[in-house]
Amino acid sequence: MLKRALMGILNPNEISQLYSSFDIIGDIAIIKIPDPLISKKDIIAKAILDNLKSVKTVLRQTSPISGIYRIRELEYLMGEKKTLTIYKEHSCIFKVDLAKVYFSPRLSYERLRIAEQVKSGEKVVNMFGGVGTFSIIIAKKQPNVTVYNIDINPDAHQLALENVIINKVSNRVICILGDSREVIHKMLNGVADRVLMPLPEKACEYLDVAIEALKPQGGVIHYYTEVYGSKVEDAIQEAKSQIDKNLTLPHRVIFSRVVREVGPRWYQIVLDVEIIKCFN
Ligand SMILES: C[S@@+](CC[C@H](N)C(=O)[O-])C[C@H]1O[C@@H](n2cnc3c(N)ncnc32)[C@H](O)[C@@H]1O
């Protein structure tokens, strides 16, 4: 859309440098602009506002996603001056402040995939829950579950508290502010049928805590990691070796897939891993 909208406004060389896709979250568009085109940022923002009527604000991402809270720096470009928006996905509504919390619309399929696996009566621990996206979609799909949504970012926690109310699941999604290692030690030891670990950067480091959260007999861990691989199959194999190296308990990878390509030959992989903690 963007390249087409800017034909005749930018020259062909400039057009060829534009990124072909960008995220739209609610009514906010977040774009990345290559350095040589920074001076054209207002023209680019205007083209988005003129061509996408649902977009009210255009922001420019000026840093990679980083830090404990997994946040990106954003520069206001045009439209309504705001970073708070309402995002809808799988019949759920999420209030998101893009300057203060992590958020990606690109995990939409993954969120539904996980929610569809959860069975009646399960207890689920989401170790890196953010504003509640995975947790709330699970609770909406499956009425007889309890989901613990842990996050260390106070802003994400506050929005999760609001989102569980907006989506009428506050009796089944329990939001907890804190480091998931400490929270699980203190109050969620041995409770979970299923544990979500949607933070690739901490996957390995927190695997022991995920195991601790599982019920005494075991359960399923959804393990997200990022690995290099010259081919997709190599990347999946590498993710599986990570699990094999770090898990001494009996386990079986029951499903694996590439969630997305995060760089050249660099993949985000999810492994659904069944773990047996004790046999009886
Ligand atoms: C990649 S985001 C995923 C958020 C959410 N699951 C989603 O998909 O929108 C990772 C989240 O983990 C949180 N986080 C980072 N370290 C944490 C920790 N030690 N304990 C709990 N949450 C943590 C961050 O604040 C961030 O919200």
Side-chain angles (χ1 to χ4, degrees):
M1 172 305 276
L2 191 54
K3 290 190 181 211
R4 209 174 343 109
L6 285 162
M7 272 173 196
I9 301 173
L10 299 184
N11 68 44
N13 177 41
E14 289 168 336
I15 299 254
S16 71
Q17 294 177 60
L18 286 170
Y19 294 107
S20 43
S21 70
F22 53 89
D23 284 345
I24 298 177
I25 303 164
D27 59 0
I28 298 182
I30 300 185
I31 57 174
K32 291 185 191 167
I33 301 181
D35 286 344
L37 296 184
I38 292 294
S39 63
K40 311 281 177 171
K41 61 188 181 185
D42 288 348
I43 296 172
I44 297 169
K46 185 168 183 312
I48 292 174
L49 286 177
D50 287 348
N51 284 276
L52 293 171
K53 293 298 167 208
S54 63
V55 174
K56 301 285 178 248
T57 303
V58 183
L59 306 174
R60 177 169 86 92
Q61 179 169 339
T62 56
S63 79
I65 289 178
S66 64
I68 293 189
Y69 298 164
R70 312 306 300 147
I71 298 174
R72 52 195 151 188
E73 297 291 326
L74 295 169
E75 177 194 8
Y76 164 77
L77 289 186
M78 204 168 276
E80 293 172 19
K81 200 161 189 178
K82 62 175 189 177
T83 52
L84 188 70
T85 190
I86 300 288
Y87 171 81
K88 294 185 186 154
E89 185 182 293
H90 307 312
S91 309
C92 298
I93 296 171
F94 300 100
K95 206 170 152 184
V96 185
D97 190 328
L98 300 166
K100 295 182 179 166
V101 302
Y102 172 88
F103 194 81
S104 174
R106 297 178 191 211
L107 296 173
S108 171
Y109 172 80
E110 188 56 22
R111 292 191 268 259
L112 189 62
R113 188 186 75 80
I114 301 290
E116 285 179 339
Q117 290 182 45
V118 178
K119 297 178 196 72
S120 177
E122 281 195 10
K123 287 202 166 32
V124 180
V125 170
N126 185 352
M127 290 175 64
F128 309 110
V131 301
T133 35
F134 274 94
S135 306
I136 290 169
I137 293 169
I138 290 172
K140 271 282 190 194
K141 281 255 153 221
Q142 180 51 265
N144 184 28
V145 292
T146 305
V147 189
Y148 297 95
N149 190 81
I150 309 170
D151 206 282
I152 202 167
N153 176 351
D155 291 306
H157 173 66
Q158 181 53 41
L159 286 164
L161 287 171
E162 293 178 39
N163 287 332
V164 297
I165 292 169
I166 295 171
N167 290 284
K168 301 188 175 60
V169 291
S170 57
N171 55 339
R172 290 180 291 116
V173 178
I174 318 295
C175 303
I176 307 169
L177 173 64
D179 175 359
S180 53
R181 180 175 292 280
E182 287 167 22
V183 172
I184 288 168
H185 276 334
K186 266 193 227 147
M187 52 190 287
L188 295 177
N189 193 321
V191 305
D193 298 283
R194 185 180 300 276
V195 176
L196 274 62
M197 305 184 73
L199 177 55
E201 295 74 15
K202 292 234 167 95
C204 248
E205 190 190 331
Y206 275 63
L207 191 54
D208 60 329
V209 200
I211 305 277
E212 193 184 325
L214 285 179
K215 283 185 171 165
Q217 65 271 28
V220 173
I221 292 181
H222 300 284
Y223 178 88
Y224 294 82
T225 187
E226 284 175 5
V227 289
Y228 285 97
S230 50
K231 293 188 299 231
V232 166
E233 304 79 57
D234 296 344
I236 290 178
Q237 200 44 53
E238 178 57 30
K240 287 181 178 169
S241 330
Q242 233 178 55
I243 282 280
D244 291 340
K245 264 186 240 147
N246 289 286
L247 264 183
T248 48
L249 291 168
H251 62 275
R252 191 166 63 98
V253 175
I254 50 179
F255 180 81
S256 57
R257 73 180 274 264
V258 172
V259 177
R260 53 185 165 163
E261 200 171 340
V262 282
R265 292 188 291 282
W266 187 21
Y267 300 95
Q268 185 178 127
I269 307 282
V270 59
L271 302 179
D272 299 348
V273 190
E274 193 175 61
I275 292 171
I276 300 175
K277 279 170 90 172
C278 81
F279 301 89
N280 24 6

